[in-house]
Amino acid sequence: MAYTVSKLTDFSATALDSAVRDLLSALDQEAEGVLASKVAEPEHDAGWKKRWDEWKVFRDRWIARKNGITTQINELWLKAAPKETKREVGQQVNRLKGEIEGKVKATEERLQHQQWNAEKAVIESTPGRSFATYDEALKATQGVDITLPGIRRPIGAEHPVIKTMNEIIGVFRNLGYSVEEGPEVETDYYNFEALNFPPNHPARDTQDTLFIAGQDAKPPRDRLLLRTHTSPVQIRTMQKMRPPVRVVCPGKVHRNDAPDATHSPIFHQVEGLAVDTNITFCDLKGTLDHAMKALFGSNVKTRFYPSFFPFTEPSADVQISCIFCDGKGVRDGTPCRNCKASGWIELLGCGMVDPNVYGFVDYDPAKVSGFAFGMGVERIAILKYGVDDIQLFFSGDVRFLEQFG
Ligand code: DAH
């Protein structure tokens, strides 16, 4: 039978003692009852919630302000006590209140320890988790300590190479170009052959190539390599699109170059291709002149210098007037180091698509013409942002990278 507070009629010391004993033994029993129930492992969370609910019922039964047992003994014992016993009864009731509150608290703590121990056991039975000390396990199981400082997530910044790549793409998007991408591991066919580099042609030597190992059993054109330029995306694009074509192809490329301040075995390019009827070298010049002005400022001049690429004819290197000395070749009275006092900086390769290339993609060279260009992204970023070492782009040093945020 559940304990209820009896009305006292006899306020003698013996009667009071006996009532107090009854109460304390009920308190003990109920507390032990709260601590004795068990949680079946599969219902871990639900089980522990139930046990805490039981503890709350216990707590409220004993110390709820409204009609808890402590309130009841105040009413039924202290207030009902005749004047001459008030002092004695008051002392007993106060002591009891202290005991009851202490018991509720202690029960809470013991239950908490039971729960931590159970959680520790669950965690320790998980492979790979064990704790050297009990405290350590407790820490891991006690959940969130809201007094600890939070985990900061530093705000990221766009990588300068990606930022520059996006700027370049933006310039051409505004001219109506779309974006195409291709694989970084390419076949010999796309990287060289279809771009009019015949097998064993010396032009291949200008692009120190990293070949994928173990390809010898394959026919030469199927052998895999890390693409040395983004030009193979021209071929892939023309294979799947009929003219008119206007695309830019950004991406990562690799060459077998030893890293130094101006070389990196990994870098990025943006390729461009426009094929339509009646495209002329004038269109090429106008497009790239506009692009360079959009990237480096409208004061920049461009000049086209004869060059050679197997996949363009004629081919040119584009130079821009030096952005450091305004094309004068002299800065602060001394020869400009950035352009070696020439007033010009070489920036990219371009040309009219070689008719042979159309042969590889089934375009009719008698009907269409086009131009192509390819530029190094790091090289442009270096000039735009005044970076003096290409390795900084790949070292992952946040102090460098956050300057572009
Ligand atoms: N693919 C050349 C390189 O990596 C750059 C290039 C030159 C691309 C001329 C072109 C081009 O599309 O027409 O050196």
Side-chain angles (χ1 to χ4, degrees), residues 207 229 231 234 255 269 271-272 309 311-312 349-351 372-374:
Q207 306 201 347
H229 51 178
S231 302
Q234 288 187 29
R255 290 197 195 172
Q269 291 186 332
E271 191 81 14
F309 301 100
F311 41 94
T312 45
C350 67
F373 56 86

Side-chain angles (χ1 to χ4, degrees), residues 198-223:
N200 304 316
H201 192 277
R204 292 183 175 217
D205 298 346
T206 62
Q207 306 201 347
D208 285 318
T209 309
L210 291 159
F211 293 94
I212 307 286
Q215 304 281 302
D216 298 345
K218 293 185 181 169
R221 57 160 54 186
D222 295 339
R223 291 181 195 165

Side-chain angles (χ1 to χ4, degrees), residues 192-254:
F192 291 123
E193 211 175 315
L195 286 163
N196 203 31
F197 290 78
N200 304 316
H201 192 277
R204 292 183 175 217
D205 298 346
T206 62
Q207 306 201 347
D208 285 318
T209 309
L210 291 159
F211 293 94
I212 307 286
Q215 304 281 302
D216 298 345
K218 293 185 181 169
R221 57 160 54 186
D222 295 339
R223 291 181 195 165
L224 297 173
L225 45 80
L226 298 183
R227 69 177 177 192
T228 57
H229 51 178
T230 43
S231 302
V233 191
Q234 288 187 29
I235 305 298
R236 292 183 175 275
T237 303
M238 287 190 279
Q239 279 181 340
K240 67 175 189 194
M241 253 186 229
R242 305 306 297 170
V245 168
R246 279 175 185 75
V247 292
V248 277
C249 321
K252 191 183 288 168
V253 303
H254 294 82

